PDB file of all heavy atoms in Angstrom:
ATOM      1  N   PRO A 175      -7.580   0.311  -8.557  1.00  0.00           N
ATOM      2  CA  PRO A 175      -8.292  -0.894  -9.014  1.00  0.00           C
ATOM      3  C   PRO A 175      -7.475  -2.160  -8.781  1.00  0.00           C
ATOM      4  O   PRO A 175      -6.285  -2.209  -9.094  1.00  0.00           O
ATOM      5  CB  PRO A 175      -8.497  -0.641 -10.513  1.00  0.00           C
ATOM      6  CG  PRO A 175      -8.492   0.853 -10.633  1.00  0.00           C
ATOM      7  CD  PRO A 175      -7.486   1.329  -9.621  1.00  0.00           C
ATOM      8  N   GLY A 176      -8.119  -3.158  -8.194  1.00  0.00           N
ATOM      9  CA  GLY A 176      -7.460  -4.433  -7.948  1.00  0.00           C
ATOM     10  C   GLY A 176      -6.602  -4.461  -6.704  1.00  0.00           C
ATOM     11  O   GLY A 176      -6.117  -5.527  -6.320  1.00  0.00           O
ATOM     12  N   GLN A 177      -6.396  -3.313  -6.068  1.00  0.00           N
ATOM     13  CA  GLN A 177      -5.548  -3.274  -4.878  1.00  0.00           C
ATOM     14  C   GLN A 177      -6.266  -2.675  -3.663  1.00  0.00           C
ATOM     15  O   GLN A 177      -6.243  -3.264  -2.585  1.00  0.00           O
ATOM     16  CB  GLN A 177      -4.273  -2.467  -5.169  1.00  0.00           C
ATOM     17  CG  GLN A 177      -3.396  -3.086  -6.247  1.00  0.00           C
ATOM     18  CD  GLN A 177      -2.104  -2.316  -6.430  1.00  0.00           C
ATOM     19  OE1 GLN A 177      -1.469  -1.907  -5.448  1.00  0.00           O
ATOM     20  NE2 GLN A 177      -1.711  -2.098  -7.675  1.00  0.00           N
ATOM     21  N   THR A 178      -6.874  -1.517  -3.861  1.00  0.00           N
ATOM     22  CA  THR A 178      -7.570  -0.874  -2.742  1.00  0.00           C
ATOM     23  C   THR A 178      -8.986  -0.427  -3.114  1.00  0.00           C
ATOM     24  O   THR A 178      -9.648   0.227  -2.312  1.00  0.00           O
ATOM     25  CB  THR A 178      -6.788   0.354  -2.238  1.00  0.00           C
ATOM     26  OG1 THR A 178      -6.736   1.347  -3.281  1.00  0.00           O
ATOM     27  CG2 THR A 178      -5.378  -0.021  -1.835  1.00  0.00           C
ATOM     28  N   GLN A 179      -9.434  -0.764  -4.300  1.00  0.00           N
ATOM     29  CA  GLN A 179     -10.759  -0.315  -4.750  1.00  0.00           C
ATOM     30  C   GLN A 179     -11.853  -1.224  -4.208  1.00  0.00           C
ATOM     31  O   GLN A 179     -12.039  -2.341  -4.662  1.00  0.00           O
ATOM     32  CB  GLN A 179     -10.834  -0.273  -6.276  1.00  0.00           C
ATOM     33  CG  GLN A 179     -12.104   0.386  -6.795  1.00  0.00           C
ATOM     34  CD  GLN A 179     -12.111   0.513  -8.305  1.00  0.00           C
ATOM     35  OE1 GLN A 179     -12.364  -0.461  -9.006  1.00  0.00           O
ATOM     36  NE2 GLN A 179     -11.831   1.709  -8.808  1.00  0.00           N
ATOM     37  N   THR A 180     -12.574  -0.719  -3.227  1.00  0.00           N
ATOM     38  CA  THR A 180     -13.678  -1.461  -2.627  1.00  0.00           C
ATOM     39  C   THR A 180     -14.978  -1.094  -3.350  1.00  0.00           C
ATOM     40  O   THR A 180     -14.974  -0.287  -4.283  1.00  0.00           O
ATOM     41  CB  THR A 180     -13.787  -1.125  -1.141  1.00  0.00           C
ATOM     42  OG1 THR A 180     -13.976   0.292  -0.988  1.00  0.00           O
ATOM     43  CG2 THR A 180     -12.519  -1.548  -0.399  1.00  0.00           C
ATOM     44  N   VAL A 181     -16.080  -1.669  -2.915  1.00  0.00           N
ATOM     45  CA  VAL A 181     -17.366  -1.398  -3.563  1.00  0.00           C
ATOM     46  C   VAL A 181     -17.713   0.091  -3.549  1.00  0.00           C
ATOM     47  O   VAL A 181     -18.071   0.654  -4.586  1.00  0.00           O
ATOM     48  CB  VAL A 181     -18.484  -2.235  -2.906  1.00  0.00           C
ATOM     49  CG1 VAL A 181     -19.860  -1.757  -3.372  1.00  0.00           C
ATOM     50  CG2 VAL A 181     -18.314  -3.714  -3.259  1.00  0.00           C
ATOM     51  N   PRO A 182     -17.642   0.788  -2.398  1.00  0.00           N
ATOM     52  CA  PRO A 182     -17.981   2.215  -2.404  1.00  0.00           C
ATOM     53  C   PRO A 182     -17.093   3.048  -3.331  1.00  0.00           C
ATOM     54  O   PRO A 182     -17.591   3.923  -4.045  1.00  0.00           O
ATOM     55  CB  PRO A 182     -17.805   2.632  -0.946  1.00  0.00           C
ATOM     56  CG  PRO A 182     -17.970   1.374  -0.167  1.00  0.00           C
ATOM     57  CD  PRO A 182     -17.363   0.315  -1.033  1.00  0.00           C
ATOM     58  N   THR A 183     -15.780   2.798  -3.306  1.00  0.00           N
ATOM     59  CA  THR A 183     -14.893   3.587  -4.158  1.00  0.00           C
ATOM     60  C   THR A 183     -15.073   3.214  -5.627  1.00  0.00           C
ATOM     61  O   THR A 183     -14.905   4.060  -6.508  1.00  0.00           O
ATOM     62  CB  THR A 183     -13.423   3.394  -3.746  1.00  0.00           C
ATOM     63  OG1 THR A 183     -13.085   1.997  -3.774  1.00  0.00           O
ATOM     64  CG2 THR A 183     -13.181   3.923  -2.346  1.00  0.00           C
ATOM     65  N   ALA A 184     -15.422   1.956  -5.906  1.00  0.00           N
ATOM     66  CA  ALA A 184     -15.697   1.559  -7.277  1.00  0.00           C
ATOM     67  C   ALA A 184     -16.963   2.247  -7.798  1.00  0.00           C
ATOM     68  O   ALA A 184     -17.004   2.694  -8.955  1.00  0.00           O
ATOM     69  CB  ALA A 184     -15.845   0.039  -7.372  1.00  0.00           C
ATOM     70  N   ILE A 185     -17.985   2.335  -6.958  1.00  0.00           N
ATOM     71  CA  ILE A 185     -19.211   3.042  -7.344  1.00  0.00           C
ATOM     72  C   ILE A 185     -18.887   4.491  -7.669  1.00  0.00           C
ATOM     73  O   ILE A 185     -19.350   5.042  -8.675  1.00  0.00           O
ATOM     74  CB  ILE A 185     -20.257   2.958  -6.219  1.00  0.00           C
ATOM     75  CG1 ILE A 185     -20.763   1.520  -6.068  1.00  0.00           C
ATOM     76  CG2 ILE A 185     -21.424   3.902  -6.499  1.00  0.00           C
ATOM     77  CD1 ILE A 185     -21.676   1.317  -4.871  1.00  0.00           C
TER      78      ILE A 185
END
Side-chain angles (χ1 to χ4, degrees):
Q177 297 184 43
T178 64
Q179 189 176 78
T180 58
V181 168
T183 56
I185 292 173

